[in-house]
Amino acid sequence: MKSFFPSIFHRDDPRSAMDNIFNDFSREWLSSWPNSRLDKHHVIPAIDVKEYGEYFEIKAELPDMNEKDIDVDIQGTYLSIRGEKKYEQESDEKGYHLRERSFGTFHRQIPLGFNVDVELVTAKYAKGVLSIHVPKPVEMQHDVKKIKVNFEE
């Protein structure tokens, strides 16, 4: 039985499948270039979370931001980083005038898995990187004990 709808509406349409593959590839490929125009307007900051014996360190790459553009808060067991990124460029060269503007907001939420004493949390911003120091509760600060692994042949 022949379908009433054209083939573009079917999931097995080869043209749509190829378009999706190329769109996904282009998006991933362009965003991997650090100096691409896409990167200048990208508003989802990269986040690194490292665990140390007595604390967690969270770092977020937030270049060219001001104190008024960044918000950090803790609600329950979640740490939230919010902000607004603004990008403006203006050139007045011989024969042309160029003005580019881009604005966007971001919100990253990191699950900590424990309640935090907010008074002990510290945050600093330097050279485009936000660093947040979150102490672990005492019950989580135990010594790591090495377990010997026996290999059998």
Side-chain angles (χ1 to χ4, degrees), residues 44-78:
I44 301 174
I47 303 276
D48 289 330
V49 179
K50 292 184 181 177
E51 181 179 6
Y52 296 98
E54 298 176 357
Y55 65 94
F56 285 94
E57 181 181 59
I58 296 125
K59 289 188 176 186
E61 294 179 16
L62 304 171
D64 304 323
M65 296 194 71
N66 298 318
E67 181 180 347
K68 62 181 173 49
D69 297 331
I70 301 170
D71 251 347
V72 177
D73 62 55
I74 293 178
Q75 184 175 16
T77 61
Y78 290 90

Side-chain angles (χ1 to χ4, degrees), residues 3-152:
S3 172
F4 174 77
F5 294 105
S7 66
I8 194 163
F9 295 110
H10 293 290
R11 289 181 185 226
D12 58 349
D13 177 43
R15 170 78 180 184
S16 293
M18 287 304 289
D19 286 345
N20 288 337
I21 290 169
F22 280 110
N23 288 339
D24 290 345
F25 173 78
S26 297
R27 188 172 26 259
E28 290 298 318
W29 184 73
L30 280 175
S31 65
S32 68
W33 286 88
N35 295 322
S36 70
R37 284 182 42 79
L38 181 65
D39 191 58
K40 287 181 186 175
H41 306 288
H42 199 61
V43 292
I44 301 174
I47 303 276
D48 289 330
V49 179
K50 292 184 181 177
E51 181 179 6
Y52 296 98
E54 298 176 357
Y55 65 94
F56 285 94
E57 181 181 59
I58 296 125
K59 289 188 176 186
E61 294 179 16
L62 304 171
D64 304 323
M65 296 194 71
N66 298 318
E67 181 180 347
K68 62 181 173 49
D69 297 331
I70 301 170
D71 251 347
V72 177
D73 62 55
I74 293 178
Q75 184 175 16
T77 61
Y78 290 90
L79 175 102
S80 293
I81 303 170
R82 290 181 183 84
E84 183 175 5
K85 188 154 183 166
K86 301 169 189 160
Y87 169 77
E88 291 188 51
Q89 179 184 5
E90 191 169 342
S91 299
D92 205 0
E93 300 290 326
K94 185 178 178 180
Y96 73 92
H97 181 79
L98 171 71
R99 180 180 288 167
E100 286 186 272
R101 291 184 186 148
S102 175
F103 301 92
T105 60
F106 62 86
H107 177 212
R108 297 291 308 262
Q109 196 169 44
I110 298 112
L112 298 171
F114 56 88
N115 288 317
V116 178
D117 183 355
V118 181
E119 300 299 320
L120 300 176
V121 177
T122 60
K124 69 176 183 174
Y125 180 82
K127 297 182 180 177
V129 177
L130 173 67
S131 299
I132 304 167
H133 185 271
V134 181
K136 291 181 185 177
V138 176
E139 58 272 9
M140 289 183 69
Q141 298 179 17
H142 38 55
D143 295 329
V144 175
K145 294 183 172 65
K146 210 67 161 142
I147 307 295
K148 183 178 183 216
V149 178
N150 294 316
F151 287 89
E152 296 180 12

